[in-house]
Amino acid sequence: MPILWLTVIVLALAALGYVIGRRRALASGDGRIRNLHSLPSYYGSYVAMMTGVPAISLMLLWLLAQPFWVNSAVLADLPVSAVADGSSSSLVMSDVRRLADGLDRAVAQGVMTEADIDAMGSDLSGIRTRLGNVGVALGSDVSTDILTSAQDYRTKAATGRLVMSILVLAVAIVGFGWAYQRTHKDFRARNVVERGIRYVLIAAACIAILTTIGIVLSLVFNAIAFFRVYPASDFFFSLTWSPSFGGGSELGILPLLWGTFYISIIALLVAVPIGLFSAIYLAEYAGPKVRGVAKPLLEVLAGIPTIVYGLFALLTVGPFLLGIFGPDGVGWMQAGTAVITAGLVMGIMLIPFVSSLSDDIINAVPQALRDGSYGLGATKSETIRQVILPAALPGIVGAILLAASRAIGETMIVVLGAGAAARLDLNPFEAMTTVTAKIVSQLTGDADFSSPEALVAFALGMTLFIVTLGLNVFALYIVRKYREQYE
Amino acid sequence: MTDASMPTATGTPERKVKSLTEIDARTAKRNAAEKRFKLYGMAAVVTGLLFLVMLVTAILTNGLPAFKRAVVEVEFTLTQDQFDAAESKLLKTAEYNTLFITALSETLRERGIDREFDAAAVDRLLGSVGGTIRAFYRENPDQIDQPVAFELAASSRVDRYLKGTFGRDDVTEEGNRFFINADFDLVDDMRDAGLIRSAFNWVFLTGVDTGVDNPGGAGIGASVLGSFLMMFVVLILALPIGVAASIYLEEFAPKNRFTDLIEVNISNLAAVPSIVFGILGLAVFIQFMHLPQSAPLVGGLVLTLMTLPTIIISTRASLKAVPPSIRGAALGIGASKMQTVFHHVLPLAMPGILTGTIIGLAQALGETAPLLLIGMVGFVARYPDSFVGGLEGPNSAMPAQIYNWAARSDAVFTEKAWGGIIVLLVFLLAMNLVAILLRRKFERRW
Amino acid sequence: MYDAPQVTKQETAVTDVKIQASDVQVYYGGNHAIKDVSVAIDDKTVTAFIGPSGCGKSTFLRCLNRMNDTIDICRVTGDIRIDGEDIYDKRVDPVQLRAKVGMVFQKPNPFPKSIYDNIAYGPRIHGMARNKAELDEIVEKALRRGAIWDEVKDRLDAPGTGLSGGQQQRLCIARAVATEPEVLLMDEPCSALDPIATAQVEELIDELRQNYAVVIVTHSMQQAARVSQKTAFFHLGNLVEYDDTSKIFTNPEDSRTESYITGRIG
């Protein structure tokens, strides 16, 4: 673990810097803290900061950039013969990387030595099993070309690491020296350190932006790659979804969108009435005792992981519904996994979501409106239906939209409960599938990442992202407007 | 104001005076509507709670059996001669097997049951008994010539037969390599003889995933470790980054477009479907940065990004709850802004921050979908050999393991999946309990 | 136009008692908020409840149409009769009671609906109109009685929340009047209004006296003197003195009343 060691060395240098910097500052002030501009610990922190931060940042940047450099360098040297027919250079490169990785691991675990690898030169038969023993599965047998490239890869990577280590250490030492030399009783160490901390804080806050950028870029780039190999019009308007990894897939999103919306609508049909009426009852009717028990219990439903709901759908609700609507009952249902199963369970999951949001919103309606209505001789239910709900309507609509966005983005329940067939059908007892479920199935198979069958997942993901983002932004806007109205 | 005194001033209501104690028909109808409405509300609450009860019942009834398994207890004495003889044979374990069969049939006979069975039956019902016994004596040679009570785990089919989820109807006349009809009689006999009892299934908690040939031996231990490794990554990344970001936004950030951009980003990220974070992890960490697939390190990174908005939102709320007078007091005696925040505001907000972090972690612990995309659903049949190896090497996580089991056809794995859910929920419950206690203990009213 | 009513030119008309309260006690949880209050409120009269804040005058007012029922921890004992009927009788439906005893609140609280729907709300829930024409008539009549008809007749579909504070309060009074109550309770109806709006509402109150028993809670002694014929002075949950307004303000019997009137307590 040279990186680990490098980090440890840099950190040790920084710690040393803290001690020495502190001491030097104190010495320059004749050992009296009063003579210093800042507390001694700030001088120490200054030296430590200047030693550690640039060096570690350089290391992180280098680690991020090095794979590109090595990749393109090796790719340039890749012999033409290594790329077999029907394969692509990126595919071969991933083999090369995996092999190089495996060799590294084998050496690290002492299963092989460098000499062993060099000696293998012509005899490649055993390499697959030997790497298999250290837990590296190679997809196909290794050719000499690939082994050469892998060795090339390893050499270049090792050189890169070496250069990086030297540079990082140099930066750390230079930073140390520079900071140490500036450490003096009149130096405004606190201000500099605080400015440094401030930059760290800003960097942390920027991670949110970076995450969004990361999401958007990874979706956009791969979606563009997909639309290059598959026509966008077919993707958006074709009525068939039938991927086949042998090629000739039809990848129309419409059946998936239909499944998504159908399941979401059923979920909302379950969650909205139950959630809304629960919220009304808990906010307007229930005494503090009932509220104190029922509200947290309902919210337990929100804390249960979705995998649990998925299992509940697959193994409990599905068979239960099949017993009623299946061949032994009414005969409408063929299998336990169906739109109704997933929708029902998703609805259960969303009940607390709707109820706690609505509860907040109903409670935000001013008491004066209730008093006004009661004062006119309205009953509670008349007040709720004719005064409170109309007043709370925008907020409740916002809550329902948020719930809808949850339903559309939900994955595990539909993966386990809705079935796998993409269908454009109105029968809720049929199995259908959704955008999220297909993202999972297209990306967890063994498909090559450059095939349209895998890339389609990114186009699906982008659609999902845009739809849910739109819903969220709109819903949050409505809710905020509503809150402002009563503030 | 003249209109007010116009015709209406004299026109008194012509409604005749009614007694208040007589409820008129309309009021009665309205009161009935009121009652109905209230009933709907109550029904909604009860339905919601009913769903909760159903869910919990399903989990407990299906999952608790996973924590029990049938063991066959046979007392066995091996003489030194037998040991030497067996060790000199070529097929040593087979020899021990034979010895065990003799001991078992004798025990049965002592309890008045006479039954013939062969080594294959023992193999089907109890697995490789010979190996177990041999290993025991080779390790504890002092136990030779002593009576030793062996507790042998019965196969999963025996287990399910005794639990009532597997029966004679499930096996064809000639049976299969896992079970034949005659085995039922032998199990019945052993049960009647009191040799079979139910024991706590430690293997389920400590074991690793197994293949279809040994579904009963599958355990959730390795994936619990995988989950812990991920939570470790999430904790050491998300807590400092989240707190740092919140401090900046709450205490230092100027009100400008850049700050607005960050805030909008955070609130939107909180609502992005988890699967999208999986896509991000796959594209950025695995395809782009070439981090190892299926590794808890990558899982932890993805979950960190997912949890950050939650932590930031709750941390900001706790920072906001610290009254401005505290800041004023510190600034007033000449502390810098940074000192004020780190010496006074942050310590006071810490309980709230920790509570929010624990809740964020609990959320991350139960998350499944992004893990599927970064390949954490592989078959993980061993524990990692070191901490770093555990972070980098392929591993699973509790929810992913549960998903994996649920997708298999063998009913034993289904039971394991439910059992896994109980383990997962126990962890979540514990985390939420800690969060609640923290909140109770340190809750301040300013 | 009317002259502003003066305390002095008070004609004590022949009136009969509308509300008779005897030995009323109110508890908020463990807090004894109203102690032993007995009072007889006359029909077609404006009765003012005055007293320092927290003296229980609003609480007592809210007992008269059982608005306190909506507060869980509030408990009322004693006897309150309207037209001789005990309003706390088990057989009395508070919904019917409140139709008979309307209420106007401190802060104008129009519903977030149109002006028309605000007024029509009460008549609709009480089923007072058989058809749209009748409802229109009721709405117009109420708005006229609320002295706001001229200001809103062209924009009945506009939201009630868009009116000015004084207009909103008159709208709320019109809303209360629309259900044709016999008693109107007003809980500091002018405290959120500017002086001009206050004057308009006070004028309206004086007019309403011709048809209703009006009970008004106010913290302004001048207002009590201007609009009421009878005044009750509350202090620490007790009814200290109850008499003709002119008597209370010129010649109070109790020293506490005098202190309050002259500004020494309050």
Side-chain angles (χ1 to χ4, degrees), chain B residues 182-410:
Chain B
D183 292 341
F184 288 115
D185 304 327
L186 180 56
V187 175
D188 284 344
D189 287 344
M190 288 200 287
R191 185 178 56 193
D192 296 343
L195 294 181
I196 293 186
R197 67 185 182 83
S198 182
F200 188 79
N201 191 357
W202 284 109
V203 177
F204 177 63
L205 289 183
T206 57
V208 295
D209 198 5
T210 57
V212 281
D213 51 334
N214 181 20
I220 199 165
S223 45
V224 170
L225 186 70
S227 278
F228 275 161
L229 288 170
M230 282 201 306
M231 289 308 113
F232 172 76
V233 175
V234 175
L235 186 66
I236 61 164
L237 289 178
L239 182 60
I241 294 177
V243 171
S246 315
I247 288 179
Y248 177 70
L249 291 173
E250 202 55 49
E251 306 283 341
F252 293 101
K255 198 88 201 103
N256 60 19
R257 291 196 120 163
F258 181 68
T259 312
D260 280 349
L261 182 71
I262 298 180
E263 304 216 359
V264 167
N265 259 299
I266 290 171
S267 59
N268 282 335
L269 279 180
V272 167
S274 60
I275 184 108
V276 173
F277 282 95
I279 296 181
L280 169 80
L282 177 67
V284 172
F285 295 130
I286 292 176
Q287 282 183 307
F288 185 74
M289 288 164 65
H290 301 300
L291 291 174
Q293 218 174 358
S294 316
L297 176 68
V298 179
L301 286 174
V302 172
L303 293 181
T304 299
L305 296 182
M306 228 185 76
T307 321
L308 260 182
T310 316
I311 294 185
I312 292 179
I313 289 168
S314 69
T315 302
R316 290 188 64 180
S318 357
L319 289 175
K320 214 176 267 169
V322 177
S325 61
I326 302 271
R327 295 178 182 82
L331 291 173
I333 53 169
S336 69
K337 186 95 211 253
M338 201 63 83
Q339 286 169 326
T340 306
V341 171
F342 280 91
H343 296 172
H344 300 282
V345 180
L346 195 56
L348 288 175
M350 218 51 204
I353 294 173
L354 289 181
T355 311
T357 307
I358 293 173
I359 287 171
L361 280 182
Q363 228 175 51
L365 187 65
E367 195 52 66
T368 322
L371 302 184
L372 303 187
L373 295 196
I374 56 164
M376 288 192 75
V377 268
F379 176 71
V380 177
R382 57 176 188 178
Y383 277 97
D385 31 48
S386 69
F387 180 68
V388 176
L391 281 177
E392 284 192 333
N395 204 330
S396 190
M398 275 186 271
Q401 180 70 72
I402 292 167
Y403 168 72
N404 197 333
W405 280 335
R408 293 184 202 173
S409 55
D410 196 320

Side-chain angles (χ1 to χ4, degrees), chain A residues 77-98:
Chain A
D77 294 347
L78 194 68
V80 187
S81 59
V83 183
D85 289 340
S87 181
S88 68
S89 53
S90 71
L91 220 58
V92 175
M93 271 315 290
S94 78
D95 275 353
V96 168
R97 268 198 308 273
R98 198 174 300 171

